[in-house]
Amino acid sequence: MFKQTHRPTLLQFFIPVFFQTCHSLGLSLLVYIILPSMDVVRGAMFTNSLSLVPALFSLLSRRRVSESDNWLILSGMDGLSMVLMIAGLSVWAISKEGTEAWVLPLAALLVSAGWWENYVERGAIFKPMRFLGKLELTHNRYQTYLFLSLWKIVVFFGGLCLSFWVSGDNPSILFSDFYDSFYRHPIRFSEVRPLISNDSLPMITGDELYEQEHEGRSSPAAVHYAIVLQVLTALLAYLSGKFACKIGIQSFSFALALSLSVPVSLFTIVTFCGFREENVCYWQDLFPGYLFWDCPKGSFVQNFLIDQHGWVWVLWILAHAWTSIHVWSPKFKRLELGEILFVEPMYSSLLVDQSLLLNRRRIELPIYSNGEEEEEEENVKAYKELRSAEDPSLLEEDNIPKIYACATMWHEIKSEMKEMLKSVFRMDEDQAARRIGRKYFAVMDPDYYELETHIFFDDAFTKKSNAVNVYVKDLVESLEDAGNQVHETEIHLAPPKKFPTPYGGRLEWTLPGGTKLFVHLKDKTLIRHKKRWSQVMYMYYLLGHRLLEREIPVSRKERLAENTFILALDGDIDFKPGAVHLLVDLMRKNKNLGAACGRIHPIGSGLMVWYQKFEYAIGHWFQKATEHVIGCVLCSPGCFSLFRGKALLDKNVMAKYTTTATEPRHYVQYDQGEDRWLCTLLLQQGYRVEYSAASDALTHCPEQFGEFFTQRRRWVPSTMANIFDLLQDYKRTIRTNPDISYPYVGYQMMLMVGSILGPGTIFLMLIGAFNAAFRIPNFDCFLWNIVPVALFIFVCFFTESDTQLMVAQILSAGYALIMVAVVVALLMQIQDDGILAPSSLFLFLVAGSFVIAGILHPLEFDCLPHGLVYYITIPSMYLLLIIYSLMNLHVVSWGTREVVEEETPDKVVAVEIKEEQKNNGLLGFLNSKSGGKKEGSFELSFAGLFKLMCCTKPVEEKYELVQIASSLTDISKRLDSMERPSGSMLGEQRRFSSAAGLRMAESPFFQTIEEETVEEFEDKDSLHSEHPKIQQVEKRNYLVNPEWIDDPDLKDGQVDFLTGQELTFWREMMDKYLLPLMKDAKKEMKDTEELIELRNKSIFFFFMVNAVFVVAIFLLQNQKETIYITWPLGSTYNMTYSGGTLIYLQENSLHLEPIGVMFVGVFAIILSIQFICMLIHRFGTFSHILASTLIDFCSRDVEVVAKDMAFEKEGLAIIRTLQKLKKGQGEGKGRKSRTTVGDVARRKTIQALEERNQELHQRPANIETAFNLAFKELAQSPDKQDKLFRGEREARVTFQQLARRRSTLVDRRTSTMGERMRGSVGERSNSEERQRQGPTFTNPIFRMEEP
């Protein structure tokens, strides 16, 4: 219903209709003719003969794949299974008489035709089978079944009428007695009595009983019970089977259970029949005796198995087992869609076990991008084979997920940075464990991935110099501290490698696990700043430059893009590796999934944090879950989301994401909510966005009222703008995106209308609250509420943002007190009207849905108490916040984390230069050179005789201190330069990589840099000649020797330079998309005017819509005595006695007033949809968790389980234990820093040099090295094994298996290297021989023309 479907062609429509018509007709013959003529045991056996058509189609579709695929044996088994079923049907048909003789095989043939689609293949030998295999019914199945479901009901009922006609009965009784069949009616049954009636006699056998016909009354509930029991059990079996396949326990919980369903049922039936033979009243109390099944008569072995040909069932079950053998070796991924697991998403309730077995997909379903069908013709296949033969085939490592964790930072504080860095260290540690298992033990870990972390630091440099700011220094200082907390020991990281770049700079660390951490320092004077442009940087750099510019075949690029993921992070996020694994699982499950987000938990302290905890909880529990179930999630937040590289590379996603805002709406949609806009682009291009509730991440949220309002001032307009953009072009989106449908668009339109009318709805609610709490007339309540709203609108129009926030905070406190009074009034009203009143029921339903949702989310249940804060702030958040957001729509600044720039020494020097330039003029001639503690805005002097100062003011002491600090800094720099050894590049001591100088010399870009540098230095020289104060400034270039490289806080790391190719990429990229926007006063003024005009239009629209809505509902509310809907529940009655004999009974019904109609009608519908979708999504989350958990006893056979446990579960656990860094890891050999430093501490310079020398000799922490040492030490010490694995026999066995596996791999690799060396020697000798003999060519493709 909520998914887009494609219209089928005529063949795609009529062929399924034909086969399903046969299936329904066969079911009717089976149910109404065959089974009533059999006893219950033979009927159960007969269900194993219903795979005739699948066996036939499997035989005709079987094709030879390779020379060693046993094609002949498999085809023979198909033919044998078909022969066994035909033979069994023939034997039973011959034993029948009359109509049943030909109906029995016909019914079996027709029923089995329903599972034809699973047994045809696109590459079948026979052309009809190949034609059926290419129909591609997957994407239009639902639209076909809209008609087919109704048609099957008609056919089934027609079969019922046909069965009456075949039996000689009149079908008209189906209509005449239909109503009576569901109630008590006459029924004939046989009463069994003993020949001698004596209760004292022992149990009488069947030979001493006689039957007597009677007519009694039926049980009225028997039919209802039978129908409900059949429907529920079949549905439960289907859901359980589907669930087992999804979470990866198919072999035990699906294949074995269904294969044994008929044998177990036969055993149970025969047992109960034996009890019935001994006691004819057996189970009489459970259901009526006339409904007990018909048991076989006589001896079971002689009469049934031999005389009645019961042995045929053995042939059928063998044939059926072969036909459904594919269910024992499933080829699946975790959490596969139902359309991939089963050929048809529907099931047969009457034959649910056979339906599930024969409908389970045999061949993996081909996935088409964006839902488009692709038909592979023979020439296309030939081209693909030719291309794969010419190009290198897709490598196995191309399927390994490559995760780029990309975080954006700006002004995060140290504690927030540390949380994000700890998450990076945890990912590094997890990836190292999986890499070690793969590298040293060949562990085939399904969750293996490769990792690289990038941090893009906005505005990383000070304003007036090329030095990094305090936030970058905080990041560097926090790095090792975060690693210490994760590894629970003190670690040491090698100093970062430093790269001057066109956009600022780059720092590169190698983490203990071996993964790389890159910190990109953005200079806003060189490149465009803000979060969206940082995202553009890493998208184009990682996907465009490092992926698409690789010299590899296009097929590999496509596969790599499909398995490359960008993990978008904020600078304060906190998560664990398991959360990322769950998002990757979603990506693997659906190749069309463009983005996936997790559950975001806000952290902090204070009332505003409490509010956000509950708001985030219900937003994820209901809103995001509903979007996930019935359509797509509209926003995957940039703080923690996983994006597929292939989706981002779409031409209308990444390229359009670089659009610069030129219209007023663009500023709101593009820059205020960049993550929502990116998801909008993905949805419009046909990609899906999902939500995983089990993937948890923590983020810091605003703790102050003003900060919260400022954040939501950006979010509210951008959310509405993006949803409106999506709805405005909904027809094209529905055509493009298979997961967005008209019902889903209708649901989003309801939410949009609710958001627009939200302020008016809350205003009306306040009127009703005032009326209920204070017993004030409606009109007076209207006036009491309109005054503060009008006041706040006035304040927002004519005052600054700080004043607006202060007034909003005061009004919010007042509204909170009023809502407390409303709670008391509501409780009193519930007591007066009863719990069945509309307001009472609505309150209980809303609260109950929240409580149930909290129970279903046990780890988040503590969010429910914060609902009290949420309740009392409803007027503030849904009325005042909307007004504040609209009134400030023209403000497009970020608003949060903005820090006022402090005065720096460089800023003071610049001011001094400016003053000296002014003093060189006329006023400088008149000015005095004398000092003083005061300065004037205007000064005049004459030869020092007198001095006139106008508008004097004292010189601040801070200014003088800054000057002194600047002078001391210059002196320190000169002393440092004197102490540095000579011989370094440009007078500086740096350590360059071996290839750095070569890359600089070869790169044509650096030639341009050198020319620009000369000109720049010449200009600076001329400037220095005019200003002697700054003549000593060292000549620098931002791409060769920027000032930030020498910052001691960044440590003395190796300096390297970008390759020429990367430099060219950045220059072209920045020229096209990322150059800083030039300030244009006229354009800025025009943009401001247009934004104000957009704000005025939006305000007018919102005001008029809400005003009309409020006035209409308010006027209707005043006529509530005449305009209402009678509420059917909760009525009260008044009894009046008159004259002693007359009693007047008066009913007092509750009324549903206009406001009540609005709340109950709209919000109840939305809440019901969200609650149902929450339950569905919660079940999916439960499946996801189980699918990610290894269930050993029911996943595979015992041998495979033992191996998997050793190398996947227990193996990784042991690796994680042994790879832990120990105290002392990373310290130099035999060095004691304290003693050495104490000996040379007489001079500060020598001490610093010694500490630096020790730091250089200190070994960086390395997890792989630590593991190798620990593993070797443990393998050679049985005593340590006993100590580590004490009481854990399974872990000890696993370690021994790991040791044997490693030894085997080492021997294998050693022998392989030896063969390669011998082969290389032989190749060299053969090459020398060929050179002596002259060139020969065997392949005409590589033939060379002689000159």
Side-chain angles (χ1 to χ4, degrees), residues 155-166:
V155 172
F156 192 78
F157 183 76
L160 174 60
C161 297
L162 178 62
S163 65
F164 271 77
W165 176 76
V166 171

mmCIF file with all atom_site columns, all heavy atoms in Angstrom, residues 155-166:
data_model
loop_
_atom_site.group_PDB
_atom_site.id
_atom_site.type_symbol
_atom_site.label_atom_id
_atom_site.label_alt_id
_atom_site.label_comp_id
_atom_site.label_asym_id
_atom_site.label_entity_id
_atom_site.label_seq_id
_atom_site.pdbx_PDB_ins_code
_atom_site.Cartn_x
_atom_site.Cartn_y
_atom_site.Cartn_z
_atom_site.occupancy
_atom_site.B_iso_or_equiv
_atom_site.pdbx_formal_charge
_atom_site.auth_seq_id
_atom_site.auth_comp_id
_atom_site.auth_asym_id
_atom_site.auth_atom_id
_atom_site.pdbx_PDB_model_num
ATOM 1  N N   . VAL A 1 155 ? -12.679 -17.626 -7.846  1.00 0.00 ? 155 VAL A N   1
ATOM 2  C CA  . VAL A 1 155 ? -12.382 -18.970 -8.358  1.00 0.00 ? 155 VAL A CA  1
ATOM 3  C C   . VAL A 1 155 ? -12.577 -20.021 -7.265  1.00 0.00 ? 155 VAL A C   1
ATOM 4  O O   . VAL A 1 155 ? -13.145 -21.101 -7.514  1.00 0.00 ? 155 VAL A O   1
ATOM 5  C CB  . VAL A 1 155 ? -10.947 -19.016 -8.909  1.00 0.00 ? 155 VAL A CB  1
ATOM 6  C CG1 . VAL A 1 155 ? -10.551 -20.444 -9.276  1.00 0.00 ? 155 VAL A CG1 1
ATOM 7  C CG2 . VAL A 1 155 ? -10.814 -18.110 -10.122 1.00 0.00 ? 155 VAL A CG2 1
ATOM 8  N N   . PHE A 1 156 ? -12.136 -19.702 -6.050  1.00 0.00 ? 156 PHE A N   1
ATOM 9  C CA  . PHE A 1 156 ? -12.283 -20.658 -4.954  1.00 0.00 ? 156 PHE A CA  1
ATOM 10 C C   . PHE A 1 156 ? -13.766 -20.918 -4.663  1.00 0.00 ? 156 PHE A C   1
ATOM 11 O O   . PHE A 1 156 ? -14.179 -22.065 -4.421  1.00 0.00 ? 156 PHE A O   1
ATOM 12 C CB  . PHE A 1 156 ? -11.585 -20.123 -3.702  1.00 0.00 ? 156 PHE A CB  1
ATOM 13 C CG  . PHE A 1 156 ? -11.432 -21.137 -2.606  1.00 0.00 ? 156 PHE A CG  1
ATOM 14 C CD1 . PHE A 1 156 ? -10.448 -22.098 -2.657  1.00 0.00 ? 156 PHE A CD1 1
ATOM 15 C CD2 . PHE A 1 156 ? -12.302 -21.138 -1.528  1.00 0.00 ? 156 PHE A CD2 1
ATOM 16 C CE1 . PHE A 1 156 ? -10.306 -23.029 -1.650  1.00 0.00 ? 156 PHE A CE1 1
ATOM 17 C CE2 . PHE A 1 156 ? -12.181 -22.071 -0.520  1.00 0.00 ? 156 PHE A CE2 1
ATOM 18 C CZ  . PHE A 1 156 ? -11.173 -23.014 -0.577  1.00 0.00 ? 156 PHE A CZ  1
ATOM 19 N N   . PHE A 1 157 ? -14.561 -19.864 -4.679  1.00 0.00 ? 157 PHE A N   1
ATOM 20 C CA  . PHE A 1 157 ? -15.994 -20.056 -4.456  1.00 0.00 ? 157 PHE A CA  1
ATOM 21 C C   . PHE A 1 157 ? -16.624 -20.817 -5.617  1.00 0.00 ? 157 PHE A C   1
ATOM 22 O O   . PHE A 1 157 ? -17.529 -21.641 -5.429  1.00 0.00 ? 157 PHE A O   1
ATOM 23 C CB  . PHE A 1 157 ? -16.674 -18.700 -4.285  1.00 0.00 ? 157 PHE A CB  1
ATOM 24 C CG  . PHE A 1 157 ? -18.134 -18.795 -3.979  1.00 0.00 ? 157 PHE A CG  1
ATOM 25 C CD1 . PHE A 1 157 ? -18.577 -19.150 -2.714  1.00 0.00 ? 157 PHE A CD1 1
ATOM 26 C CD2 . PHE A 1 157 ? -19.080 -18.551 -4.969  1.00 0.00 ? 157 PHE A CD2 1
ATOM 27 C CE1 . PHE A 1 157 ? -19.930 -19.245 -2.435  1.00 0.00 ? 157 PHE A CE1 1
ATOM 28 C CE2 . PHE A 1 157 ? -20.428 -18.642 -4.698  1.00 0.00 ? 157 PHE A CE2 1
ATOM 29 C CZ  . PHE A 1 157 ? -20.860 -18.988 -3.425  1.00 0.00 ? 157 PHE A CZ  1
ATOM 30 N N   . GLY A 1 158 ? -16.132 -20.567 -6.823  1.00 0.00 ? 158 GLY A N   1
ATOM 31 C CA  . GLY A 1 158 ? -16.619 -21.334 -7.961  1.00 0.00 ? 158 GLY A CA  1
ATOM 32 C C   . GLY A 1 158 ? -16.285 -22.816 -7.831  1.00 0.00 ? 158 GLY A C   1
ATOM 33 O O   . GLY A 1 158 ? -17.092 -23.688 -8.197  1.00 0.00 ? 158 GLY A O   1
ATOM 34 N N   . GLY A 1 159 ? -15.105 -23.119 -7.300  1.00 0.00 ? 159 GLY A N   1
ATOM 35 C CA  . GLY A 1 159 ? -14.759 -24.509 -7.046  1.00 0.00 ? 159 GLY A CA  1
ATOM 36 C C   . GLY A 1 159 ? -15.664 -25.144 -6.008  1.00 0.00 ? 159 GLY A C   1
ATOM 37 O O   . GLY A 1 159 ? -15.986 -26.344 -6.093  1.00 0.00 ? 159 GLY A O   1
ATOM 38 N N   . LEU A 1 160 ? -16.082 -24.361 -5.010  1.00 0.00 ? 160 LEU A N   1
ATOM 39 C CA  . LEU A 1 160 ? -17.028 -24.862 -4.022  1.00 0.00 ? 160 LEU A CA  1
ATOM 40 C C   . LEU A 1 160 ? -18.359 -25.238 -4.678  1.00 0.00 ? 160 LEU A C   1
ATOM 41 O O   . LEU A 1 160 ? -18.927 -26.316 -4.415  1.00 0.00 ? 160 LEU A O   1
ATOM 42 C CB  . LEU A 1 160 ? -17.256 -23.808 -2.937  1.00 0.00 ? 160 LEU A CB  1
ATOM 43 C CG  . LEU A 1 160 ? -18.321 -24.107 -1.890  1.00 0.00 ? 160 LEU A CG  1
ATOM 44 C CD1 . LEU A 1 160 ? -17.984 -25.376 -1.130  1.00 0.00 ? 160 LEU A CD1 1
ATOM 45 C CD2 . LEU A 1 160 ? -18.459 -22.925 -0.934  1.00 0.00 ? 160 LEU A CD2 1
ATOM 46 N N   . CYS A 1 161 ? -18.862 -24.370 -5.547  1.00 0.00 ? 161 CYS A N   1
ATOM 47 C CA  . CYS A 1 161 ? -20.109 -24.680 -6.271  1.00 0.00 ? 161 CYS A CA  1
ATOM 48 C C   . CYS A 1 161 ? -19.919 -25.902 -7.162  1.00 0.00 ? 161 CYS A C   1
ATOM 49 O O   . CYS A 1 161 ? -20.831 -26.750 -7.290  1.00 0.00 ? 161 CYS A O   1
ATOM 50 C CB  . CYS A 1 161 ? -20.547 -23.467 -7.095  1.00 0.00 ? 161 CYS A CB  1
ATOM 51 S SG  . CYS A 1 161 ? -20.944 -22.009 -6.113  1.00 0.00 ? 161 CYS A SG  1
ATOM 52 N N   . LEU A 1 162 ? -18.741 -26.003 -7.792  1.00 0.00 ? 162 LEU A N   1
ATOM 53 C CA  . LEU A 1 162 ? -18.468 -27.157 -8.654  1.00 0.00 ? 162 LEU A CA  1
ATOM 54 C C   . LEU A 1 162 ? -18.455 -28.452 -7.851  1.00 0.00 ? 162 LEU A C   1
ATOM 55 O O   . LEU A 1 162 ? -18.944 -29.491 -8.324  1.00 0.00 ? 162 LEU A O   1
ATOM 56 C CB  . LEU A 1 162 ? -17.130 -26.952 -9.355  1.00 0.00 ? 162 LEU A CB  1
ATOM 57 C CG  . LEU A 1 162 ? -16.653 -28.078 -10.278 1.00 0.00 ? 162 LEU A CG  1
ATOM 58 C CD1 . LEU A 1 162 ? -17.646 -28.270 -11.438 1.00 0.00 ? 162 LEU A CD1 1
ATOM 59 C CD2 . LEU A 1 162 ? -15.249 -27.794 -10.800 1.00 0.00 ? 162 LEU A CD2 1
ATOM 60 N N   . SER A 1 163 ? -17.914 -28.401 -6.636  1.00 0.00 ? 163 SER A N   1
ATOM 61 C CA  . SER A 1 163 ? -17.883 -29.608 -5.810  1.00 0.00 ? 163 SER A CA  1
ATOM 62 C C   . SER A 1 163 ? -19.302 -30.054 -5.445  1.00 0.00 ? 163 SER A C   1
ATOM 63 O O   . SER A 1 163 ? -19.578 -31.262 -5.380  1.00 0.00 ? 163 SER A O   1
ATOM 64 C CB  . SER A 1 163 ? -17.059 -29.342 -4.545  1.00 0.00 ? 163 SER A CB  1
ATOM 65 O OG  . SER A 1 163 ? -17.694 -28.373 -3.728  1.00 0.00 ? 163 SER A OG  1
ATOM 66 N N   . PHE A 1 164 ? -20.213 -29.130 -5.211  1.00 0.00 ? 164 PHE A N   1
ATOM 67 C CA  . PHE A 1 164 ? -21.605 -29.505 -4.938  1.00 0.00 ? 164 PHE A CA  1
ATOM 68 C C   . PHE A 1 164 ? -22.231 -30.154 -6.162  1.00 0.00 ? 164 PHE A C   1
ATOM 69 O O   . PHE A 1 164 ? -22.982 -31.126 -6.064  1.00 0.00 ? 164 PHE A O   1
ATOM 70 C CB  . PHE A 1 164 ? -22.400 -28.258 -4.521  1.00 0.00 ? 164 PHE A CB  1
ATOM 71 C CG  . PHE A 1 164 ? -22.377 -27.994 -3.054  1.00 0.00 ? 164 PHE A CG  1
ATOM 72 C CD1 . PHE A 1 164 ? -21.265 -27.428 -2.452  1.00 0.00 ? 164 PHE A CD1 1
ATOM 73 C CD2 . PHE A 1 164 ? -23.454 -28.328 -2.261  1.00 0.00 ? 164 PHE A CD2 1
ATOM 74 C CE1 . PHE A 1 164 ? -21.234 -27.184 -1.103  1.00 0.00 ? 164 PHE A CE1 1
ATOM 75 C CE2 . PHE A 1 164 ? -23.434 -28.092 -0.899  1.00 0.00 ? 164 PHE A CE2 1
ATOM 76 C CZ  . PHE A 1 164 ? -22.328 -27.518 -0.309  1.00 0.00 ? 164 PHE A CZ  1
ATOM 77 N N   . TRP A 1 165 ? -21.919 -29.590 -7.320  1.00 0.00 ? 165 TRP A N   1
ATOM 78 C CA  . TRP A 1 165 ? -22.492 -30.142 -8.559  1.00 0.00 ? 165 TRP A CA  1
ATOM 79 C C   . TRP A 1 165 ? -21.936 -31.529 -8.825  1.00 0.00 ? 165 TRP A C   1
ATOM 80 O O   . TRP A 1 165 ? -22.662 -32.436 -9.236  1.00 0.00 ? 165 TRP A O   1
ATOM 81 C CB  . TRP A 1 165 ? -22.180 -29.190 -9.707  1.00 0.00 ? 165 TRP A CB  1
ATOM 82 C CG  . TRP A 1 165 ? -22.648 -29.712 -11.024 1.00 0.00 ? 165 TRP A CG  1
ATOM 83 C CD1 . TRP A 1 165 ? -23.926 -29.752 -11.497 1.00 0.00 ? 165 TRP A CD1 1
ATOM 84 C CD2 . TRP A 1 165 ? -21.811 -30.290 -12.040 1.00 0.00 ? 165 TRP A CD2 1
ATOM 85 N NE1 . TRP A 1 165 ? -23.955 -30.315 -12.753 1.00 0.00 ? 165 TRP A NE1 1
ATOM 86 C CE2 . TRP A 1 165 ? -22.657 -30.660 -13.101 1.00 0.00 ? 165 TRP A CE2 1
ATOM 87 C CE3 . TRP A 1 165 ? -20.439 -30.534 -12.156 1.00 0.00 ? 165 TRP A CE3 1
ATOM 88 C CZ2 . TRP A 1 165 ? -22.187 -31.251 -14.265 1.00 0.00 ? 165 TRP A CZ2 1
ATOM 89 C CZ3 . TRP A 1 165 ? -19.968 -31.115 -13.308 1.00 0.00 ? 165 TRP A CZ3 1
ATOM 90 C CH2 . TRP A 1 165 ? -20.833 -31.469 -14.344 1.00 0.00 ? 165 TRP A CH2 1
ATOM 91 N N   . VAL A 1 166 ? -20.617 -31.735 -8.580  1.00 0.00 ? 166 VAL A N   1
ATOM 92 C CA  . VAL A 1 166 ? -20.018 -33.052 -8.789  1.00 0.00 ? 166 VAL A CA  1
ATOM 93 C C   . VAL A 1 166 ? -20.599 -34.075 -7.817  1.00 0.00 ? 166 VAL A C   1
ATOM 94 O O   . VAL A 1 166 ? -20.832 -35.239 -8.170  1.00 0.00 ? 166 VAL A O   1
ATOM 95 C CB  . VAL A 1 166 ? -18.477 -32.963 -8.633  1.00 0.00 ? 166 VAL A CB  1
ATOM 96 C CG1 . VAL A 1 166 ? -17.857 -34.347 -8.626  1.00 0.00 ? 166 VAL A CG1 1
ATOM 97 C CG2 . VAL A 1 166 ? -17.883 -32.130 -9.762  1.00 0.00 ? 166 VAL A CG2 1
#
